[in-house]
Amino acid sequence: ERSFTVGEVPGVLWSPASGSDHAPLVLMAHSGGQHKRAPGILGRAHRFVTGCGFHVAAIDAPGHGDRPRTAADEQHIAVLRQAQAAGEPISPVIVRLHIDLAARAVPEWQATLNALQQLPEIGANGPVGFWGIMQGTGIGVPLTAVEPRITAAVFGCLGHESLTEAAAEITVPIEFLLQWDDEHVERQSGLALFDAFASKDKTLHANAGGHFEVPRFEADSAAQFFAR
């Protein structure tokens, strides 16, 4: 595990103990309110590194983890908490938040990838994948749409609002997770996002359960997907 900073963005890189020269790199984005070393990120990173020999990199999204919040970040959070307290739908708030985050995070991820590919054990020509669900999808779909170095991606647990046009630009293999009983993402909206991807190689994994009940075996499925 190695910590790094690109510009003002803190990140962490996990690599195999040996045999890592030019191994595939998976960029891993955390969900809303989390950070680069959140338990889910650590668990999946460990699985990808030790089981597949991949490198895995994660960074803090704007306003998350070790990064300060802007006034706009604080406003988004206040509106979100107000909607939650009132029992109102939070999807419209999340859409606006993700649009703002993606505008800032996409160039940060591209700068991070530039820096990581300068490392001799990664290099500029190895495969690059992206994993991110929930907020990670809100950032990852716009990133994958404009970043040709990403050749496979796992997304999910988010609807099509604000992402349809970007999804239509994506043709790389996709694995998409959908929670059938998601209390925050309407089922039809999630299905619409899956349908919007232009990829000919795309797979939908629909599991019973709520928004935060993604089965643990999906980590193994993602590892197998990236290996393929």
Side-chain angles (χ1 to χ4, degrees), residues 90-91 179 181-186 209-213:
I90 64 171
S91 294
Q179 288 300 103
D181 309 299
D182 198 318
E183 66 274 25
H184 297 308
V185 179
E186 291 186 4
H211 189 67
F212 299 105
E213 297 176 334

Side-chain angles (χ1 to χ4, degrees), residues 198-210:
S199 309
K200 293 183 179 180
D201 180 351
K202 60 180 180 179
T203 304
L204 174 67
H205 286 197
N207 292 290

Side-chain angles (χ1 to χ4, degrees), residues 27-220:
L27 309 177
M28 194 171 291
H30 61 77
S31 299
Q34 298 185 1
H35 54 83
K36 60 186 178 296
R37 285 189 174 88
I41 296 293
L42 285 172
R44 290 178 179 88
H46 185 270
R47 171 69 180 83
F48 289 4
V49 173
T50 62
C52 303
F54 298 160
H55 300 279
V56 175
I59 62 175
D60 285 330
H64 289 70
D66 296 323
R67 303 185 63 182
R69 292 175 179 170
T70 65
D73 293 330
E74 296 288 2
Q75 178 64 20
H76 284 307
I77 292 171
V79 173
L80 176 61
R81 289 175 177 169
Q82 183 178 8
Q84 290 173 323
E88 299 172 349
I90 64 171
S91 294
V93 182
I94 294 297
V95 168
R96 292 191 294 270
L97 173 61
H98 286 177
I99 290 173
D100 180 56
L101 286 176
R104 291 183 282 164
V106 166
E108 293 174 351
W109 269 116
Q110 291 181 303
T112 297
L113 182 53
N114 291 341
L116 292 172
Q117 288 190 324
Q118 293 179 20
L119 298 175
E121 64 268 36
I122 294 178
N125 299 315
V128 178
F130 181 92
W131 183 96
I133 61 175
M134 305 175 190
Q135 178 180 285
T137 292
I139 292 172
V141 170
L143 171 65
T144 304
V146 299
E147 181 46 75
R149 290 173 290 183
I150 296 175
T151 55
V154 175
F155 300 125
C157 300
L158 200 64
H160 74 282
E161 294 85 357
S162 83
L163 296 178
T164 302
E165 292 184 7
E169 299 296 322
I170 295 176
T171 58
V172 301
I174 297 294
E175 188 165 279
F176 189 84
L177 309 183
L178 184 145
Q179 288 300 103
W180 203 248
D181 309 299
D182 198 318
E183 66 274 25
H184 297 308
V185 179
E186 291 186 4
R187 186 183 303 164
Q188 290 303 318
S189 183
L191 291 170
L193 178 55
F194 175 75
D195 191 46
F197 291 112
S199 309
K200 293 183 179 180
D201 180 351
K202 60 180 180 179
T203 304
L204 174 67
H205 286 197
N207 292 290
H211 189 67
F212 299 105
E213 297 176 334
V214 176
R216 291 193 176 188
F217 60 70
E218 289 294 357
D220 290 330

